[in-house]
Amino acid sequence: EEVLKIRLAFDEKEKILPLQSEEVLKIRNRIDNFAEELRNFCMEFRQECPFDAKNAISGEYDKSYETMNKYYERTLEIRVMANEYNDLELLFDMQMSNYRELRESVEELVALKNLWDGVVLVKGIFESWDDILWDKIDTESLLATARDIQNQVKNMPKSVRSWAVYRWLQDEVKNMATVLPLVNDLHGETMRDRHWTQLMTVTKQTFEKGAEFRFKDLTALRLHEFAEEVSEIVD
């Protein structure tokens, strides 16, 4: 009787096996299609997300966050589908898919969002200096802040350093760190009207150095592009 039960069990398994193989084939096709959709998503993600500096240059930070939020929501949806397919693979004793592309995209998206947080923070700090009057500019304090920011940007993860928006941020901070010592020099007691006239000639811009002359009026001159010439004027 025990042998009969075992035989019947094997007979039932033989009946089920073709059906199971057919179902496994269907699932495998669905998983392959999903993997292709995932590859296409990852390509689209890298093309559409703000790895460039366009929105940073224009100051349209909200556009970058809107795009990142949209793709983050989509990664959550895709992760749910990936988990469902993993469950089916486990159920039917199939080789498990790891969906490495999805994991890498999420990691890049998190790093990109952190980088944009840095962009917004740094630009906010620099813009808060714009309205400081000439006589009130404390270049030592500003330079200490700029150098601290420069170190933080330098220590950002290696994964972000090839992105255009990172290189743009790096340049912005570097330029500010170049400008501030020049501003300090321009504050010198030896500065005369003729020196300011020479500065206008060098920068090819005119300005009125009156009581309302502010930090932003100096940064508008793009002094970092004329660092050597400005140093010569001061000397």
Side-chain angles (χ1 to χ4, degrees), residues 122-123 125-130 139 142-147 149-150 168-183 215-216 218-220 223-224:
V122 170
K123 290 302 290 181
I125 291 171
F126 288 172
E127 287 169 7
S128 72
W129 300 347
D130 282 350
T139 47
L142 301 188
L143 188 55
T145 300
R147 284 173 176 161
I149 292 171
Q150 200 168 23
W168 176 87
L169 177 61
Q170 195 176 36
D171 287 342
E172 287 291 296
V173 176
K174 179 183 175 183
N175 291 343
M176 185 61 77
T178 301
V179 165
L180 287 169
L182 299 176
V183 173
F215 185 79
K216 64 183 176 183
L218 274 172
T219 55
L223 296 179
H224 60 276

Side-chain angles (χ1 to χ4, degrees), residues 12 36 39 67 92-93 105 155 162 168 208 216 234:
E12 287 300 315
E36 181 63 26
R39 281 190 290 273
T67 302
F92 286 91
D93 197 26
S105 293
N155 290 325
S162 63
W168 176 87
E208 188 70 35
K216 64 183 176 183
V234 173

Side-chain angles (χ1 to χ4, degrees), residues 152-165:
Q152 291 183 45
V153 172
K154 185 180 179 180
N155 290 325
M156 283 183 172
K158 289 181 180 179
S159 60
V160 309
R161 296 178 192 176
S162 63
W163 300 342
V165 65

Side-chain angles (χ1 to χ4, degrees), residues 2-221:
E2 195 64 35
V3 173
L4 181 61
K5 285 182 180 179
I6 293 172
R7 185 175 295 168
L8 287 172
F10 273 110
D11 289 344
E12 287 300 315
K13 187 173 182 181
E14 286 179 1
K15 291 178 186 177
I16 292 170
L17 276 175
L19 296 174
Q20 185 174 346
S21 297
E22 185 179 342
E23 189 61 28
V24 165
L25 185 59
K26 289 179 183 177
I27 292 169
R28 174 49 56 198
N29 287 335
R30 287 165 58 193
I31 289 172
D32 289 344
N33 290 336
F34 174 69
E36 181 63 26
E37 290 172 6
L38 176 57
R39 281 190 290 273
N40 292 335
F41 166 79
C42 292
M43 288 176 59
E44 179 189 324
F45 157 74
R46 292 188 174 92
Q47 289 172 353
E48 298 298 325
C49 271
F51 293 97
D52 59 52
K54 180 177 66 176
N55 294 337
I57 294 168
S58 66
E60 296 175 295
Y61 310 133
D62 287 348
K63 286 186 177 181
S64 292
Y65 283 99
E66 285 170 9
T67 302
M68 290 186 288
N69 286 338
K70 180 178 79 171
Y71 279 92
Y72 178 69
E73 292 297 328
R74 288 181 63 184
T75 61
L76 294 180
E77 294 168 3
I78 293 171
R79 171 47 64 195
V80 170
M81 295 173 65
N83 288 342
E84 289 176 356
Y85 284 124
N86 279 155
D87 289 343
L88 287 172
E89 287 168 332
L90 189 62
L91 180 64
F92 286 91
D93 197 26
M94 300 166 65
Q95 183 177 350
M96 297 288 284
S97 304
N98 63 14
Y99 301 116
R100 178 175 51 82
E101 302 100 323
L102 178 58
R103 186 177 67 254
E104 289 175 351
S105 293
V106 171
E107 289 172 355
E108 286 182 19
L109 190 52
V110 171
L112 184 61
K113 194 266 182 185
N114 290 337
L115 176 55
W116 272 98
D117 288 346
V119 168
V120 173
L121 177 63
V122 170
K123 290 302 290 181
I125 291 171
F126 288 172
E127 287 169 7
S128 72
W129 300 347
D130 282 350
D131 289 326
I132 302 176
L133 291 169
W134 174 249
D135 292 336
K136 302 293 184 183
I137 296 174
D138 181 354
T139 47
E140 286 188 13
S141 173
L142 301 188
L143 188 55
T145 300
R147 284 173 176 161
D148 183 50
I149 292 171
Q150 200 168 23
N151 286 331
Q152 291 183 45
V153 172
K154 185 180 179 180
N155 290 325
M156 283 183 172
K158 289 181 180 179
S159 60
V160 309
R161 296 178 192 176
S162 63
W163 300 342
V165 65
Y166 172 80
R167 294 195 297 272
W168 176 87
L169 177 61
Q170 195 176 36
D171 287 342
E172 287 291 296
V173 176
K174 179 183 175 183
N175 291 343
M176 185 61 77
T178 301
V179 165
L180 287 169
L182 299 176
V183 173
N184 187 60
D185 291 342
L186 292 171
H187 256 121
E189 294 179 0
T190 57
M191 284 292 291
R192 298 290 182 266
D193 288 344
R194 61 186 173 85
H195 295 126
W196 291 105
T197 302
Q198 288 173 356
L199 185 63
M200 292 184 207
T201 302
V202 165
T203 59
K204 297 181 174 63
Q205 296 192 54
T206 58
F207 54 86
E208 188 70 35
K209 190 187 168 294
E212 292 300 309
F213 193 65
R214 299 170 188 270
F215 185 79
K216 64 183 176 183
D217 298 315
L218 274 172
T219 55
L221 300 177

